[in-house]
Amino acid sequence: MLSFRVEADLAEQVEAWAEALGVARSEVLREALRRHLVTLRAEHDVDAWTETPLTEAEAALGDIADWGPAEDWTDWSDATGADAAG
């Protein structure tokens, strides 16, 4: 359980949003806190990726993905002789 104080204008905004959304103030606060923690975690992940670049082996997987499909199968849409419209 968390308990904290906020400025009056912030509390009024929370109250207004809770009323507009038809939820409890605590729900608005829980969601706001959850979203903020997700943002912080994402920022931390970006820092981690920046500080620790991919190894050569990990980067090779990206090169494989760039190959695309081995063959172009788009011309097989009429292989059965059936009309595309049905």
Side-chain angles (χ1 to χ4, degrees), residues 7-40:
E7 297 83 19
D9 64 319
L10 189 57
E12 290 170 9
Q13 289 180 52
V14 169
E15 185 68 40
W17 277 110
E19 188 175 322
L21 296 170
V23 298
R25 288 178 303 191
S26 60
E27 181 63 26
V28 173
L29 296 172
R30 275 192 299 272
E31 181 63 16
L33 179 59
R34 185 192 67 76
R35 288 177 183 228
H36 186 65
L37 292 174
V38 166
T39 299
L40 291 174

Side-chain angles (χ1 to χ4, degrees), residues 41-78:
R41 212 170 23 245
E43 290 171 0
H44 176 73
D45 287 349
V46 167
D47 291 341
W49 278 92
T50 302
E51 293 172 9
T52 310
L54 294 175
T55 66
E56 190 174 320
E58 292 167 330
L61 294 174
D63 294 338
I64 292 170
D66 289 341
W67 288 351
E71 296 180 36
D72 182 10
W73 294 89
T74 56
D75 60 337
W76 279 59
S77 62
D78 66 347

